[in-house]
Amino acid sequence: MKFPDIKTTLPGPNAAALIGVDRNHVSPSYTRMYPLVAEKAEGLWIHDPDGNTFLDFTAGIAVCATGHCHPHVVNAIKEQANKLLHMSGTDFYYTSQITLAEKLAHLAPGDGSNKVFFGNSGAEAVEAAFKLARWYTKRELNIAFFGAFHGRTMGALSLTASKTIQKKHYNPLIPGITHIPYAYCYRCPYNMSYPECGIGCVRWVEDTLFRTTMPPEEVAAIFVEPIQGEGGYIVPPPEFHRELQKVAKKYGILYVADEVQSGMGRTGKMFAMEHFGVVPDIMALAKGIASGMPLGAMVARSDIMVWEAGSHASTFGGNPISCRAALATIELLEAELMENAEIRGKYLMTGLRELQNSIECMGDVRGKGLMVGVELVKDRDTKERATDWRNEVIQKAFQKGLLLLGCGENTIRFSPALTVTAEEIDVCLSIFEETLREVAG
Ligand SMILES: Cc1ncc(COP(=O)(O)O)c(C=O)c1O
């Protein structure tokens, strides 16, 4: 069995020198939790410039779906780089963009009559969805959720409601967006319990919101993450999206699924909305779509994507290399990785639930496929958030060579590459257990 190999104190001398330069010349707005400097990587293993080797359960924030530098993806990138680096899909046609658009159109839930807009990131995919929803409906209001993360450009940021630091000093943002509570059953914002609540959070939209402050016929879209990501890896009840989409349909409101983090096989299905039996009107994709090459895609029904030439575009969006990397990624997902995500996800979840039996501070273990979160609490009855323990666990795990990230206020996220093996999960679980017992004893 392969283990992380930490040879120096962290950061080692070479990493420390680079971080010193970074401090002088790179934006201080980034949120580095610990001083990892990645030099090269393969699969789930990252090497730093001091010869230390780490086990990566972050996949570069749920991006390296096929593992770091998967040879099939790297070869596709090399091949494409030898042929065509750029021509701009805004003004010209090229094979890789057209082929990927056709593939995504057919992969998306529904009957395949979809069209694709290409950008470079998750925020751009959301931004495009935001603009298309307005363009198509000619309505000005929108609904999004507390805890949602949709990106940091001004439009996407207006929909985001994850942390105030992300919004501080940026107001006024785009008006007309109302944030409502997500179906966070572990801490129900309405103090109800599932299933007795009968999905009261959805009823509230029609019975209260639409009767008091928001005329439904003025609402363009509901923007929703199938599983809330940055907000804490929160899985809503099975009928939540179906019921909410019913309400949306009744009033001609578009259902926009932000699958930037949950999509592309991560949850064991190509798109997380498939777990909920919902066909969204518009979907935003990015992160795992091209195994680390920058790419965002907004997929919408053809009868919705009817905006005219010039109404939206991007010079770099749908870069030929990124599109080829996405096609290679999808080949791997379809061949075996989506299935691996489901199988290994269950294995990881079972391991975490076993730990939960004896480790009090593991308040909630939840997720689908390889989108798994563990919410740490000081006390299982009061559910007091153990944010300090969460942060300490992540720091200590790093010192032991395991890379983890947080999400929400007190949740640890496990979002490894979809290539993860049972042995790698065993190593992760043993370091996680040891760390958790040290921190929360
Ligand atoms: C659900 C979701 N939407 C949008 C974004 C923004 O993506 P990007 O950082 O590529 O702009 C993220 C990033 O974490 C995300 O998780």
Side-chain angles (χ1 to χ4, degrees), residues 219-255:
V219 179
I222 297 176
F223 286 81
V224 63
E225 292 163 89
I227 295 172
Q228 228 174 40
E230 303 302 303
Y233 275 25
I234 300 164
V235 186
E239 61 272 54
F240 173 70
H241 289 293
R242 217 170 40 237
E243 293 303 312
L244 187 59
Q245 193 187 36
K246 253 192 233 162
V247 175
K249 276 196 170 143
K250 192 165 159 188
Y251 299 102
I253 298 168
L254 298 178
Y255 208 66

Side-chain angles (χ1 to χ4, degrees), residues 185-439:
C185 299
Y186 181 63
R187 297 177 186 277
C188 176
Y190 299 95
N191 276 325
M192 296 191 285
S193 320
Y194 178 80
E196 297 77 39
C197 64
I199 315 289
C201 50
V202 172
R203 270 204 322 278
W204 179 88
V205 173
E206 221 183 350
D207 294 353
T208 303
L209 188 66
F210 288 171
R211 284 203 194 150
T212 54
T213 55
M214 255 198 142
E217 59 283 356
E218 290 182 19
V219 179
I222 297 176
F223 286 81
V224 63
E225 292 163 89
I227 295 172
Q228 228 174 40
E230 303 302 303
Y233 275 25
I234 300 164
V235 186
E239 61 272 54
F240 173 70
H241 289 293
R242 217 170 40 237
E243 293 303 312
L244 187 59
Q245 193 187 36
K246 253 192 233 162
V247 175
K249 276 196 170 143
K250 192 165 159 188
Y251 299 102
I253 298 168
L254 298 178
Y255 208 66
V256 182
D258 182 343
E259 293 260 13
V260 166
Q261 187 150 180
S262 58
M264 306 316 296
R266 174 146 298 279
T267 66
K269 293 195 185 288
M270 190 59 84
F271 305 107
M273 270 306 179
E274 293 173 51
H275 291 285
F276 300 93
V278 158
V279 178
D281 299 297
I282 302 179
M283 227 170 32
L285 303 173
K287 284 202 187 279
I289 191 170
S291 293
M293 294 302 292
L295 184 67
M298 184 267 285
V299 185
R301 281 209 325 268
S302 299
D303 62 304
I304 293 173
M305 202 181 291
V306 288
W307 46 12
E308 19 181 35
S311 52
H312 195 43
S314 155
T315 298
F316 288 115
N319 168 272
I321 296 182
S322 296
C323 288
R324 270 304 299 277
L327 286 163
T329 299
I330 292 167
E331 279 164 14
L332 293 169
L333 295 179
E334 289 186 315
E336 56 180 337
L337 295 188
M338 224 156 49
E339 193 185 343
N340 195 56
E342 188 190 345
I343 295 167
R344 300 294 172 227
K346 283 192 180 130
Y347 185 73
L348 173 61
M349 192 83 99
T350 305
L352 288 168
R353 292 230 158 103
E354 267 166 29
L355 292 183
Q356 192 184 22
N357 289 335
S358 66
I359 302 182
E360 252 326 272
C361 71
M362 293 173 70
D364 197 26
V365 175
R366 58 193 176 227
K368 287 223 184 277
L370 289 169
M371 189 171 185
V372 175
V374 176
E375 183 160 341
L376 299 191
V377 293
K378 296 268 157 132
D379 179 305
R380 282 207 191 162
D381 293 327
T382 65
K383 297 184 183 173
E384 184 191 343
R385 295 176 195 274
T387 307
D388 53 345
W389 288 352
R390 189 275 305 268
N391 294 345
E392 215 183 314
V393 166
I394 291 174
Q395 294 291 348
K396 285 207 166 174
F398 166 67
Q399 294 293 333
K400 295 174 196 284
L402 172 66
L403 305 181
L404 295 169
L405 279 173
C407 56
E409 277 181 59
N410 54 320
T411 298
I412 293 177
R413 80 172 106 178
F414 296 81
S415 58
L418 313 190
T419 53
V420 68
T421 62
E423 289 75 28
E424 287 164 339
I425 290 175
D426 288 341
V427 173
C428 166
L429 285 171
S430 77
I431 300 176
F432 180 63
E433 176 179 7
E434 183 185 287
T435 312
L436 211 48
R437 291 194 191 281
E438 279 171 22
V439 170

Side-chain angles (χ1 to χ4, degrees), residues 22-265:
D22 180 288
R23 202 166 288 134
N24 288 334
H25 299 295
V26 174
S27 166
S29 61
Y30 300 152
T31 52
R32 280 75 170 260
M33 270 290 277
Y34 42 79
L36 173 80
V37 176
E39 184 80 357
K40 59 178 187 158
E42 72 286 330
L44 271 81
W45 298 92
I46 295 186
H47 311 278
D48 80 356
D50 298 291
N52 298 306
T53 302
F54 299 84
L55 176 58
D56 180 17
F57 263 63
T58 76
I61 329 188
V63 168
C64 302
T66 56
H68 292 280
C69 303
H70 193 291
H72 185 58
V73 178
V74 171
N75 284 336
I77 290 170
K78 282 183 183 163
E79 239 177 59
Q80 183 61 49
N82 278 325
K83 276 204 229 160
L84 182 74
L85 287 181
H86 171 81
M87 196 52 208
S88 191
T90 292
D91 287 291
F92 306 98
Y93 302 97
Y94 46 86
T95 312
S96 58
Q97 188 180 81
I98 296 167
T99 312
L100 179 59
E102 187 184 29
K103 184 74 192 168
L104 288 174
H106 287 107
L107 279 180
D111 64 5
S113 70
N114 296 301
K115 288 189 176 172
V116 184
F117 173 91
F118 289 105
N120 305 283
S121 66
E124 282 181 52
V126 169
E127 202 74 41
F130 193 39
K131 287 178 76 175
L132 180 63
R134 249 198 201 189
W135 205 99
Y136 175 73
T137 62
K138 312 287 184 291
R139 298 178 180 186
E140 288 185 11
L141 305 182
N142 286 283
I143 293 172
F145 288 85
F146 289 115
F149 189 84
H150 295 295
R152 296 170 184 272
T153 53
M154 290 304 253
L157 182 64
S158 306
L159 295 164
T160 288
S162 180
K163 299 191 177 88
T164 43
I165 182 70
Q166 293 156 352
K167 296 194 144 180
K168 196 165 120 185
H169 303 312
Y170 299 134
N171 280 298
L173 294 167
I174 294 183
I177 295 164
T178 297
H179 289 98
I180 64 173
Y182 196 73
Y184 185 4
C185 299
Y186 181 63
R187 297 177 186 277
C188 176
Y190 299 95
N191 276 325
M192 296 191 285
S193 320
Y194 178 80
E196 297 77 39
C197 64
I199 315 289
C201 50
V202 172
R203 270 204 322 278
W204 179 88
V205 173
E206 221 183 350
D207 294 353
T208 303
L209 188 66
F210 288 171
R211 284 203 194 150
T212 54
T213 55
M214 255 198 142
E217 59 283 356
E218 290 182 19
V219 179
I222 297 176
F223 286 81
V224 63
E225 292 163 89
I227 295 172
Q228 228 174 40
E230 303 302 303
Y233 275 25
I234 300 164
V235 186
E239 61 272 54
F240 173 70
H241 289 293
R242 217 170 40 237
E243 293 303 312
L244 187 59
Q245 193 187 36
K246 253 192 233 162
V247 175
K249 276 196 170 143
K250 192 165 159 188
Y251 299 102
I253 298 168
L254 298 178
Y255 208 66
V256 182
D258 182 343
E259 293 260 13
V260 166
Q261 187 150 180
S262 58
M264 306 316 296

